[in-house]
Amino acid sequence: IIEASRAEIEESADGKISVSAIMRRVGMRQSNFYHYFQSLDEVILELLLDLEADVKDAVEPWLQGRQSSINPREDTIEHLTAMLSAGRMHRKVLSAAMRATNASESVYTHWKSRILDFYFDQAKAFIEKQVNEARSHVSDPASAANARVLMNFGAWMDDLWRDDPADTTDLGRTVGAIWNDVIYGQSE
């Protein structure tokens, strides 16, 4: 049912799904859906787990200080580009989830606590570490983290609704440069 839901989202023009379309794809009666799930929200939540895992794989090493280069500015750009690429890879699922967050408190709560709040906390800890190691002079790491995470979210949302989305490498460089300027100061 999950794979049929993913396929239904990917193949539909607008990323919308319905229980009847999913179960038709699986070859089962619609009533069987409710033996496995209480609602479409549960399917969306399950599909969000893949996006969540791919985003964590992209940015967690960076946010936890496991840098892939000796240049923290390059690491920022590299990992944020990877995060934006993960969002692009799950574009239709993300679009379906965004529609669901407007209609479902459970999907919104999951999105906020498991994705947004998690990254607010991770980014805040990362910025605090940069301040403690005298690499940054950010006076309010929590506000800086919240603004950067919401900026990333805005970049994802903008990408979702564009017919011709920006190149993720270019977007990653732009978003990364903003993170870097806030955390480390203007580059020379």
Side-chain angles (χ1 to χ4, degrees):
I1 293 175
I2 293 297
E3 289 311 311
S5 300
R6 186 183 327 280
E8 191 66 28
I9 287 171
E10 292 297 328
E11 291 174 15
S12 74
D14 58 5
K16 290 183 180 177
I17 58 174
S18 68
V19 172
S20 59
I22 293 166
M23 297 312 282
R24 201 170 27 256
R25 186 178 285 269
V26 173
M28 296 171 68
R29 291 185 310 181
Q30 188 171 336
S31 61
N32 288 342
F33 175 89
Y34 298 100
H35 292 284
Y36 302 98
F37 300 97
Q38 291 182 6
S39 67
L40 279 174
D41 289 353
E42 287 185 6
V43 171
I44 296 294
L45 292 172
E46 187 71 28
L47 292 171
L48 276 175
L49 294 176
D50 289 340
L51 168 66
E52 189 178 331
D54 287 346
V55 170
K56 281 184 179 181
D57 286 348
V59 296
E60 220 167 23
W62 166 63
L63 289 173
Q64 294 180 354
R66 297 188 312 267
Q67 297 168 318
S68 55
S69 79
I70 59 170
N71 184 331
R73 288 177 179 272
E74 288 176 13
D75 269 351
T76 300
I77 291 169
E78 175 188 332
H79 290 282
L80 289 174
T81 299
M83 182 218 56
L84 292 165
S85 294
R88 175 74 55 84
M89 187 172 66
H90 296 281
R91 189 172 192 223
K92 289 241 181 157
V93 169
L94 189 55
S95 177
M98 290 304 94
R99 267 195 300 287
T101 61
N102 291 326
S104 165
E105 188 172 337
S106 67
V107 174
Y108 173 76
T109 299
H110 174 90
W111 175 260
K112 185 175 179 322
S113 67
R114 299 267 317 207
I115 299 174
L116 286 179
D117 290 345
F118 175 81
Y119 287 105
F120 286 146
D121 294 342
Q122 292 282 308
K124 177 180 170 246
F126 174 78
I127 295 169
E128 287 171 341
K129 181 179 180 192
Q130 302 310 303
V131 169
N132 292 338
E133 293 177 358
R135 290 189 200 134
S136 178
H137 299 290
V138 171
S139 61
D140 185 354
S143 292
N146 286 350
R148 290 329 104 213
V149 170
L150 289 174
M151 176 186 67
N152 291 357
F153 178 69
W156 268 358
M157 294 303 97
D158 184 62
D159 186 61
L160 283 180
W161 311 124
R162 285 185 180 267
D163 291 332
D164 186 23
D167 177 75
T168 52
T169 301
D170 292 341
L171 187 56
R173 287 193 184 290
T174 301
V175 169
I178 295 168
W179 273 78
N180 283 332
D181 287 350
V182 169
I183 296 169
Y184 304 113
Q186 295 282 311
S187 56
E188 291 87 44

